[in-house]
Amino acid sequence: MTSPIKRLPAPAQHIREAYRQLVAEIDELARELATTRFPNVLQCRPGCDECCMCFSVLPLEAAILAEAMKDVQLPKHGNTEKCVLLSGGLCQVYTARPIICRTQGLPLGYVDEFAGTIEVSACPLNFTDDYSFGEDDLLYMDDFNRRFVKLNHEYCRCVGLDPGGRIPLAGFYQNK
Ligand code: SF4
């Protein structure tokens, strides 16, 4: 049976361009934060796959990953908790990896405007539980996430998919 991921229609050019632009902005900000705020703190390096868990993505990112996977052979690593796109501790679609993968390792900030609070999520390999973050230390994801959700909606509207239908990356094993 053909994998549902393989059947995802390719995103239209303008959606693909907008996604590319969004990812470039996130990468740039992440790079700047890592080098200016945490030059000697981050332990992130090739081969560290601690945050590469078997998760799911929204249809737009699944379609983009499906394209990137066309010529990639996935060896089965047998660890059901880990992302199926890993091989030897390395991501097989690194340049096309989802947004969530581009920001791991850095302290992420999520603003709750009603409560007047900022929720912080940070990698325990890089930061201790009591690490004291300043507001400028955080990579704020709310606007990026909003833009991505909007793009995903547009893609799903164009191709007739449920925008909330998350797609497990484990489905790539069937992507033959
Ligand atoms: S897509 Fe790549 S970077 Fe993201 S969790 Fe999977 S292996 Fe890790």
Side-chain angles (χ1 to χ4, degrees):
M1 196 176 82
T2 314
S3 154
I5 293 179
K6 192 168 184 185
R7 290 200 304 268
L8 287 172
Q13 193 58 25
H14 73 284
I15 297 177
R16 192 188 301 270
E17 284 302 324
Y19 178 78
R20 221 175 263 151
Q21 172 65 31
L22 179 61
V23 160
E25 287 177 39
I26 292 170
D27 282 352
E28 177 58 29
L29 210 51
R31 199 167 21 246
E32 193 184 313
L33 204 58
T35 52
T36 60
R37 295 271 161 187
F38 307 111
N40 300 311
V41 175
L42 302 183
Q43 304 297 310
C44 304
R45 65 190 187 288
C48 178
D49 59 5
E50 282 295 310
C51 57
C52 294
M53 305 312 285
C54 202
F55 59 94
S56 61
V57 292
L58 289 175
L60 173 57
E61 280 196 320
I64 284 168
L65 279 172
E67 286 183 350
M69 287 294 299
K70 269 186 191 134
D71 301 320
V72 175
Q73 287 295 323
L74 276 181
K76 231 178 187 164
H77 55 56
N79 182 342
T80 53
E81 290 185 359
K82 286 292 185 183
C83 179
V84 298
L85 305 184
L86 277 172
S87 177
L90 299 175
C91 176
Q92 299 304 293
V93 287
Y94 191 73
T95 55
R97 68 200 186 286
I99 289 172
I100 187 174
C101 309
R102 293 170 185 272
T103 57
Q104 293 300 312
L106 288 165
L108 309 180
Y110 302 92
V111 178
D112 184 334
E113 285 173 7
F114 295 107
T117 56
I118 301 173
E119 184 195 329
V120 179
S121 164
C123 173
L125 296 183
N126 289 335
F127 303 102
T128 55
D129 281 349
D130 58 355
Y131 194 98
S132 177
F133 294 106
E135 289 194 3
D136 292 343
D137 289 337
L138 306 178
L139 180 55
Y140 291 94
M141 291 306 296
D142 298 305
D143 280 346
F144 291 133
N145 287 340
R146 268 191 286 274
R147 283 168 62 189
F148 173 62
V149 165
K150 204 170 154 199
L151 276 179
N152 178 62
H153 265 79
E154 191 174 348
Y155 167 69
C156 289
R157 185 179 52 75
C158 291
V159 299
L161 288 171
D162 170 10
R166 297 191 70 87
I167 299 177
L169 292 184
F172 275 109
Y173 271 143
Q174 307 164 295
N175 196 19
K176 300 262 190 277

